[in-house]
Amino acid sequence: MKKVLIANRGEIALRIHRACQEMGIRTVAVHSTADASAMHVRLADESVCIGPPPAKESYLNKAAILSAAHITGADAIHPGYGFLAENADFAEMVEAHGLIFIGPKPEHIRTMGDKIAAKETMRRLGVPLVPGSPGPVASVDEAFAIAQEIGFPVLIKAAAGGGGRGMKVARAEEQLEEAYRTARAEAKAAFGDDTVYIEKYLDRPRHIELQILADAHGHVVHFGERDCSLQRRHQKLVEEAGSPALDPAERDALGATVTAALRQLGYRSAGTLEFLWQDGQFAFIEMNTRLQVEHPVTEMVCGIDLVREQIRIAAGEELGYSQEDIVFQGHAIECRITAEDPVTFAPCPGKVTTYHAPGGLGVRVDSALYSGYTVPPHYDSLVAKLIVHASTRAQAIARMQRCLREMVVDGISTTIPLHQRIMADPEFQAGDYTIHWLERFVARSS
Ligand code: ADP
């Protein structure tokens, strides 16, 4: 592989560019007219403008991206996360054009993109699931029958779901019909597909996910868990590796189940299996067939470059190491810093007058910000990922607090003050939280 086109923007485009540079691979950036002066465009070896600001006409424009790959003579395309990363049709088109898609096989992207099919596949492979409907729920009557069987509260979820959309809780019978209808309408509006299914709504789980890598030669390894329980509206804000709640034996047992399942599936590339964990039990909710926003915390504790590994796997190389070679060292935490008001969460795009990134031992900042940069209003509000690594969780929290004080993003509002409050909270410091903790914390402190 000599040249990779990066079909993304922002911090993740930079992240992929960095891995390519260190491997001696040239990079092609693509960008919308709103991103002409973005850092990923400045740093790449070449760049191509692929359309106007709306993502539909640029970062989601498959034909424009493929043309850019041809014009520049790229051998491969890395989709990053979001945009086309989990679009099986795009992966197929890339391969049909004789290019390498740096990601899983299209068939696996397609299966896991349908959460009902994903659950059925994992059930067959012996992975424990959250109890729920065995397939789509096509009517209110069927919803009642399933809810009766598994017991309230229940969660109606979109089969095509993502980003926490198309998900509605019904705590009791009288809420079911409305939850069912709104979930379907929301799913239709967000994904153009109103297929929904039902799950038992767990009252105090943690979100624990497992990072895996699989090569094209049947080797599968895992890189331990991430605890992503700190969420607002089902969206992650803070992630840790490892989980403050899990012991190594539980991690190993889950790792063995998951790697065996993916070996049987014939999976390839990086992937993450997401679980809810309650009362010592794991229950699978979905699989992401891509690099995740929170991948750096795993990289920090395992000392591995996951993007480099994705590229090596796509080039047909073998992993070259086994599960025993993967050791976990210390603790890592990531804070997602967004251009949003830290109390109301209203988006705050605009010009960053001064930017200063924290530094020092065990500190990593993945960001495309620079002084004078204007955050455009058209895309996701994530502007920086602040990641720290230390030998213990307590030291990692202290380091994160120091970094949050050091970081300067003037000119726009960011969620830095919210992260400062979270890091200072005694319950967070004790590791005593579930997926519902942050919503209550936000309500309490605003
Ligand atoms: P999405 O793909 O939209 O992110 P997920 O299925 O990954 O949807 O769920 C997102 C979050 O919603 C989970 O991390 C968890 O916090 C919450 N959630 C999902 N399923 C359940 C459930 N059955 N019970 C309780 N919370 C759930």
Side-chain angles (χ1 to χ4, degrees):
M1 225 182 270
K2 292 199 167 52
K3 199 187 267 190
V4 169
L5 181 141
I6 303 164
N8 218 301
R9 63 180 301 282
E11 69 85 20
I12 197 62
L14 246 62
R15 168 71 191 87
I16 297 159
H17 169 78
R18 286 172 174 148
C20 290
Q21 281 244 307
E22 291 179 14
M23 298 173 84
I25 298 171
R26 293 176 65 78
T27 57
V28 179
V30 292
H31 67 91
S32 70
T33 49
D35 277 340
S37 54
M39 192 54 94
H40 78 280
V41 179
R42 291 185 179 200
L43 289 186
D45 295 305
E46 292 168 67
S47 65
V48 181
C49 181
I50 49 165
K56 237 190 186 137
E57 297 169 53
S58 49
Y59 297 103
L60 291 171
N61 185 340
K62 302 185 189 90
I65 293 169
L66 284 167
S67 305
H70 276 297
I71 293 165
T72 55
D75 318 295
I77 297 184
H78 195 308
Y81 55 68
F83 296 130
L84 296 168
E86 284 169 301
N87 189 308
D89 293 343
F90 179 64
E92 262 164 13
M93 282 169 79
V94 170
E95 290 179 353
H97 282 74
L99 302 168
I100 298 172
F101 181 75
I102 303 175
K105 297 174 190 165
E107 64 194 85
H108 292 147
I109 301 177
R110 189 164 283 127
T111 306
M112 299 307 163
D114 174 348
K115 294 181 170 193
I116 296 172
K119 282 185 80 173
E120 174 51 25
T121 306
M122 289 303 162
R123 187 194 61 74
R124 255 193 308 108
L125 296 169
V127 178
L129 310 179
V130 178
S133 59
V137 175
S139 68
V140 178
D141 287 345
E142 209 181 314
F144 269 106
I146 296 279
Q148 224 85 64
E149 197 183 305
I150 60 176
F152 285 93
V154 297
L155 187 61
I156 327 283
K157 295 173 85 169
R165 283 170 304 172
M167 219 186 277
K168 292 283 165 232
V169 185
R171 297 194 180 275
E173 212 172 292
E174 58 274 17
Q175 294 176 351
L176 187 64
E177 182 162 351
E178 201 196 323
Y180 177 80
R181 292 195 195 286
T182 16
R184 277 189 81 152
E186 227 179 270
K188 182 84 189 164
F191 315 110
D193 175 358
D194 66 355
T195 312
V196 296
Y197 63 108
I198 295 186
E199 263 176 13
K200 176 87 186 161
Y201 183 67
L202 301 184
D203 57 351
R204 50 193 164 78
R206 298 180 84 107
H207 172 117
I208 293 181
E209 58 185 36
L210 203 76
Q211 174 71 54
I212 68 96
L213 273 182
D215 68 16
H217 309 276
H219 305 111
V220 186
V221 293
H222 74 85
F223 292 87
E225 83 284 8
R226 295 185 283 261
D227 194 320
C228 312
S229 302
L230 294 188
Q231 304 179 354
R232 182 178 166 270
R233 300 195 173 158
H234 309 299
Q235 293 275 63
K236 300 159 190 167
L237 256 77
V238 176
E239 300 98 348
E240 307 194 54
S243 168
L246 212 63
D247 62 46
E250 288 174 290
R251 168 206 289 160
D252 292 348
L254 181 69
T257 308
V258 165
T259 49
L262 293 185
R263 208 168 289 126
Q264 213 177 315
L265 191 64
Y267 190 77
R268 181 193 74 201
S269 195
T272 299
L273 280 89
E274 298 191 333
F275 294 87
L276 296 178
W277 183 82
Q278 186 171 308
D279 305 323
Q281 302 286 320
F282 281 103
F284 172 84
I285 46 172
E286 70 160 339
M287 176 170 185
N288 291 314
T289 52
R290 55 169 165 82
L291 192 68
Q292 287 193 280
V293 177
E294 60 273 24
H295 77 276
V297 288
T298 298
E299 296 187 321
M300 302 303 271
V301 296
C302 295
I304 186 133
D305 181 336
L306 289 168
V307 178
R308 183 189 184 96
E309 296 304 284
Q310 282 187 303
I311 294 172
R312 284 183 51 233
I313 290 167
E317 287 183 34
E318 294 197 35
L319 283 180
Y321 45 81
S322 60
Q323 192 62 53
E324 296 71 48
D325 299 319
I326 297 160
V327 281
F328 306 97
Q329 240 167 11
H331 192 89
I333 304 176
E334 172 180 281
C335 287
R336 294 192 190 191
I337 295 165
T338 56
E340 288 176 321
D341 182 283
V343 178
T344 64
F345 294 96
C348 288
K351 186 167 179 170
V352 176
T353 49
T354 308
Y355 170 65
H356 173 77
L361 182 68
V363 179
R364 167 174 173 183
V365 183
D366 280 18
S367 172
L369 285 183
Y370 59 86
S371 292
Y373 174 67
T374 299
V375 178
H378 315 282
Y379 313 107
D380 190 89
S381 58
L382 181 74
V383 290
K385 301 188 313 203
L386 178 52
I387 305 118
V388 299
H389 182 224
S391 15
T392 65
R393 183 169 185 267
Q395 284 170 16
I397 293 171
R399 183 160 286 164
M400 183 62 89
Q401 290 180 295
R402 186 269 289 172
C403 287
L404 289 164
R405 283 194 295 270
E406 232 175 77
M407 188 161 189
V408 179
V409 186
D410 283 344
I412 59 169
S413 288
T414 73
T415 46
I416 292 174
L418 170 67
H419 287 295
Q420 279 167 331
R421 293 203 303 271
I422 295 171
M423 293 299 133
D425 185 86
E427 281 174 0
F428 171 75
Q429 292 185 353
D432 181 16
Y433 57 76
T434 70
I435 59 164
H436 305 301
W437 186 86
L438 188 67
E439 297 270 7
R440 287 185 209 127
F441 176 81
V442 167
R444 221 172 40 228
S445 59
S446 62

